[in-house]
Amino acid sequence: MLNEPDPNPAPNRGPERARAPVKITDVAILAGVAPMTVSRVINTPDRVSPGTAAKVRAAIAQLGYVPNLIAGGLSSRRSRMVAAVVPTIAHPMFAGLIQSFTDAMRVAGYQVMLSLSGYGDNDKEALLRALLGRRPDALLIAGAAHTPGAFQMISEAGIPVVEIWDVSRRPIDMLVGFDHERVGEEVAHFFLGKGHTRFATISADDPRALVRTETFAAAVRAAGGTVVGEAVIPAPSTIQAGRAALRGMLGGLEAPTALFCSSDLLAFGAITEARQHGLAIPNHLAVCGFGNFELSAASEPAFTTVNVEGSEAGEIAAGFLLQRLTGNGPRTDEPVHLAFRIVERGTT
Amino acid sequence: MLNEPDPNPAPNRGPERARAPVKITDVAILAGVAPMTVSRVINTPDRVSPGTAAKVRAAIAQLGYVPNLIAGGLSSRRSRMVAAVVPTIAHPMFAGLIQSFTDAMRVAGYQVMLSLSGYGDNDKEALLRALLGRRPDALLIAGAAHTPGAFQMISEAGIPVVEIWDVSRRPIDMLVGFDHERVGEEVAHFFLGKGHTRFATISADDPRALVRTETFAAAVRAAGGTVVGEAVIPAPSTIQAGRAALRGMLGGLEAPTALFCSSDLLAFGAITEARQHGLAIPNHLAVCGFGNFELSAASEPAFTTVNVEGSEAGEIAAGFLLQRLTGNGPRTDEPVHLAFRIVERGTT
DNA sequence: GTGAAAGCGCTAACAG
DNA sequence: CTGTTAGCGCTTTCAC
């Protein structure tokens, strides 16, 4: 597990002696002004004369002063931190979401506290308590399914909240959602329009993935199609799970001609497995994924999928929160539905 | 970009009226004790009589009290937050690192502040100032390459620091590193042992990736091999970049027989492109990636790569920081080298 | 086992 | 434009 240690240890290891960190009064004394003036130089420089500001800045630089935002936050009642809760960042969609959200918030001076809630039913209220105890100025939360207790904690925190990803419930506050039912329906109609009659799905068992595939199945049945296989695998989705699921389907009496997967990883796995078995794609089996990961565009054959921009969602969410936080711009109280579109490639 | 808004807006939207949040004195009054006793019930329950504790807990539950950790942190001078800086989380290695680190720290009561530094040379000192201003109790930082100013800021923060990923410099404090040079050498010897004589590399232009591929090239040259191509693509690595890079190489006079890529994404792209061109793998071209992403094991052909456990690094780093923070366990001042190994699959 | 006093480092609010 | 005063909500310290 570990290799041998460095035979030539560095000389300057170990942190500095924890001498008292420099604080605002130190800067004030050195600059010959009141602490409040130092605060102004940092936060509202317009209200300080250039000469004074210069003196203060020199003192700050000389002492290497880093303002204690914790203390400032306690006083101003704004922590300039926002909490973000997502199930995982191992998934490209959430990684993109967090990346763009974090970037957008940082530009505005907000630091993101990241919490990974996982897919299991671990204690979400404890997680929220840990987060809300740090008094974030706002909250981004993905994957909803709040318990009543969680719902109440969030409401009582009295901060702007953006829920992301889901669309079909009563939002706590703001919502940047995604209509998973419509995805299922549109993919169904896409396949039906190409004349397919026997369908299958492979889905992770997280609620939103299931909504997509179950709506898909319902839609094809409603149109007279038959669903010959509905595999469900434990979240999170993986390539291997897609391979295994397709393998399980190939034994069946009736082979599907069109397959909808709840994730591009599953789709890639299914395609890989199908080719192993000599199944012609798309002639014998058409496949559509979900997510439009790079894999779907860059693998061979590039495969059809549903595009949904995780990073776009992050930007929109950040915009919503910032306009609440700064009081500028139109207040966006209407739920926003993220657009999606089917990206047709070589597997359909 | 946005679909039409929800035609049936929810009734309970908008946050609660920001009435004064409940604080420790509210709980104390309701429970009929001093604020300090409430604090003890929360932090050191052993030092409170069971009866008193029960009364206090009832009051906490009744009021929905969530302790303000910001205020507590200011007073106790421990924020119970740790800062983490990584270039990106779009990369499976860093995603795994952050995921495991975040989990381990949360179990110990620490909240992670995530910062994404990107690969460009954006202002790292500003980023550090934003982070250190929140007075984290510890710092995890990946990808080093500190400016003198950044180095000094970190040192003066006086907190435990784990640097991760690199190995070959003077560490600030603790180090969970990775010997990128040895990776290049070992892959070179692996290929040389199979009788290859003409080599190529595809590398992202981030410093560590370059170290791996350049050391590889040097090692094969030292052994009498020739390097017929060294493609460098801008970080981050993508499948498409791997495809394009290989395409560029195929036009050359001398075709390589063995290819080392600085990332599995590049390797997958190169393999995909090679097969498109009818190149037999591994007979005409052997390929080795880096990272052991799921893709390398689950695609067809599964490809040879170098395994390095991002999640393991996160756990080790968390362990190091926690033992400093709690003062328990052996102090680990020796740099730790993460192990790696070549995982041989169907492309060599 | 419990409480009272003092203060963490900063900023809001008000003077001047 | 600059300074003073009074906390923010909690924990430290010391007393009982």
Side-chain angles (χ1 to χ4, degrees):
Chain A
M1 166 172 163
L2 307 180
N3 288 350
E4 72 276 13
D6 191 336
N8 179 19
N12 61 353
R13 212 136 11 75
E16 293 266 307
R17 268 285 129 265
R19 53 181 144 90
V22 7
K23 49 198 186 193
I24 201 168
T25 50
D26 301 327
V27 176
I29 291 169
L30 179 59
V33 299
M36 193 59 227
T37 301
V38 178
S39 174
R40 288 197 184 98
V41 170
I42 294 164
N43 300 304
T44 53
D46 321 336
R47 302 184 180 180
V48 180
S49 77
T52 313
K55 275 192 307 186
V56 170
R57 272 190 254 273
I60 288 174
Q62 183 180 333
L63 296 174
Y65 173 57
V66 179
N68 184 333
L69 270 26
I70 291 285
L74 180 61
S75 182
S76 67
R77 297 153 153 287
R78 292 178 306 114
S79 65
R80 295 214 153 251
M81 296 190 294
V82 299
V85 183
V86 292
T88 174
I89 52 169
H91 188 294
M93 218 127 52
F94 288 118
L97 167 73
I98 290 297
Q99 187 108 22
S100 64
F101 181 74
T102 301
D103 285 352
M105 294 309 287
R106 192 183 62 190
V107 168
Y110 288 85
Q111 181 63 44
V112 171
M113 300 188 289
L114 178 68
S115 264
L116 276 5
S117 57
Y119 283 109
D121 41 16
N122 39 34
D123 193 348
K124 240 184 187 162
E125 294 184 29
L127 187 154
L128 276 174
R129 202 182 317 279
L131 240 26
L132 296 176
R134 265 119 192 160
R135 295 298 186 268
D137 291 340
L139 174 64
L140 173 79
I141 184 163
H146 312 298
T147 63
F151 187 97
Q152 187 177 4
M153 285 178 67
I154 295 173
S155 297
E156 291 186 348
I159 55 177
V161 178
V162 169
E163 289 168 281
I164 206 155
W165 225 232
D166 253 331
V167 95
S168 39
R169 300 159 305 96
R170 293 276 163 267
I172 298 178
D173 184 6
M174 291 177 286
L175 180 64
V176 179
F178 189 80
D179 195 333
H180 297 266
E181 297 191 359
R182 273 188 48 201
V183 171
E185 286 163 10
E186 292 211 5
V187 173
H189 292 136
F190 171 78
F191 274 144
L192 288 164
K194 293 194 177 283
H196 290 280
T197 53
R198 293 198 309 284
F199 303 87
T201 61
I202 303 176
S203 179
D205 66 356
D206 83 87
R208 282 155 293 284
L210 287 173
V211 167
R212 295 194 293 273
T213 50
E214 286 169 2
T215 312
F216 171 87
V220 297
R221 283 196 191 99
T226 60
V227 179
V228 300
E230 293 181 90
V232 175
I233 61 103
S237 300
T238 63
I239 299 172
Q240 292 289 18
R243 292 188 73 156
L246 189 83
R247 209 176 305 131
M249 281 178 177
L250 292 181
L253 292 177
E254 289 189 305
T257 64
L259 172 67
F260 178 39
C261 297
S262 73
S263 157
D264 277 356
L265 294 178
L266 295 174
F268 177 74
I271 291 167
T272 302
E273 190 68 19
R275 297 178 87 197
Q276 275 301 95
H277 289 265
L279 222 66
I281 290 180
N283 291 349
H284 288 171
L285 181 67
V287 180
C288 178
F290 178 84
N292 198 20
F293 304 163
E294 200 212 349
L295 192 55
S296 65
S299 64
E300 194 60 48
F303 57 91
T304 298
T305 187
V306 178
N307 180 71
V308 25
E309 218 64 64
S311 59
E312 180 192 350
E315 279 159 26
I316 295 176
F320 279 12
L321 291 179
L322 288 172
Q323 86 194 2
R324 278 282 184 82
L325 256 13
T326 62
N328 297 330
R331 295 176 106 260
T332 309
D333 286 285
E334 290 310 314
V336 166
H337 289 205
L338 289 172
F340 64 88
R341 68 173 203 284
I342 296 175
V343 181
E344 185 164 9
R345 298 208 184 91
T347 58
T348 52
Chain B
M1 165 172 163
L2 307 179
N3 288 349
E4 70 276 14
D6 192 336
N8 179 20
N12 60 353
R13 210 136 11 75
E16 294 266 308
R17 268 287 129 265
R19 55 184 142 91
V22 8
K23 50 197 184 193
I24 201 168
T25 50
D26 301 327
V27 176
I29 290 168
L30 179 59
V33 298
M36 195 53 231
T37 301
V38 177
S39 174
R40 287 198 185 97
V41 170
I42 294 164
N43 300 304
T44 54
D46 321 335
R47 301 184 181 180
V48 180
S49 76
T52 314
K55 274 193 308 186
V56 170
R57 271 190 254 275
I60 288 175
Q62 182 180 334
L63 296 175
Y65 172 56
V66 179
N68 184 333
L69 269 26
I70 291 285
L74 180 61
S75 184
S76 66
R77 298 150 155 291
R78 291 179 305 114
S79 65
R80 296 214 152 250
M81 296 189 295
V82 299
V85 183
V86 292
T88 173
I89 53 169
H91 189 295
M93 218 125 54
F94 289 118
L97 168 72
I98 290 297
Q99 187 107 23
S100 63
F101 182 74
T102 301
D103 285 352
M105 295 309 287
R106 192 183 62 191
V107 168
Y110 287 85
Q111 181 62 45
V112 171
M113 299 188 288
L114 178 68
S115 265
L116 305 174
S117 56
Y119 283 109
D121 42 15
N122 41 33
D123 193 347
K124 238 180 188 163
E125 293 184 29
L127 188 154
L128 275 174
R129 202 182 316 279
L131 241 26
L132 296 177
R134 266 119 191 160
R135 296 297 187 268
D137 292 340
L139 175 64
L140 173 78
I141 184 163
H146 312 298
T147 63
F151 188 97
Q152 187 177 4
M153 285 178 67
I154 295 173
S155 297
E156 291 186 348
I159 56 177
V161 177
V162 169
E163 289 168 281
I164 207 155
W165 226 232
D166 254 331
V167 95
S168 40
R169 299 159 306 95
R170 293 277 165 268
I172 299 178
D173 184 6
M174 291 177 286
L175 180 65
V176 178
F178 191 78
D179 195 333
H180 297 265
E181 297 192 358
R182 273 190 46 201
V183 171
E185 285 163 11
E186 292 211 6
V187 174
H189 291 136
F190 171 78
F191 274 143
L192 288 164
K194 293 192 176 283
H196 290 280
T197 53
R198 293 198 309 283
F199 303 88
T201 60
I202 303 176
S203 179
D205 66 355
D206 83 86
R208 283 156 292 283
L210 288 173
V211 167
R212 293 194 294 271
T213 49
E214 286 169 2
T215 312
F216 170 87
V220 297
R221 283 196 191 98
T226 60
V227 178
V228 299
E230 293 181 88
V232 175
I233 61 102
S237 300
T238 63
I239 300 172
Q240 293 289 19
R243 292 188 72 156
L246 190 83
R247 212 176 305 132
M249 282 179 178
L250 292 181
L253 293 178
E254 289 189 306
T257 63
L259 172 68
F260 178 38
C261 297
S262 73
S263 157
D264 277 355
L265 294 178
L266 295 174
F268 178 73
I271 291 168
T272 302
E273 190 68 18
R275 296 177 86 197
Q276 276 299 95
H277 289 265
L279 222 66
I281 290 181
N283 292 348
H284 288 171
L285 181 66
V287 180
C288 178
F290 178 84
N292 197 20
F293 304 163
E294 199 213 350
L295 193 55
S296 65
S299 64
E300 193 60 50
F303 56 92
T304 298
T305 188
V306 178
N307 180 71
V308 24
E309 217 64 65
S311 60
E312 181 192 349
E315 279 159 26
I316 295 175
F320 279 12
L321 291 179
L322 287 171
Q323 87 195 3
R324 276 281 184 83
L325 256 13
T326 62
N328 298 329
R331 295 176 107 261
T332 309
D333 285 285
E334 290 309 315
V336 166
H337 289 206
L338 288 172
F340 64 87
R341 68 173 203 286
I342 296 175
V343 181
E344 185 164 9
R345 299 209 184 91
T347 58
T348 51

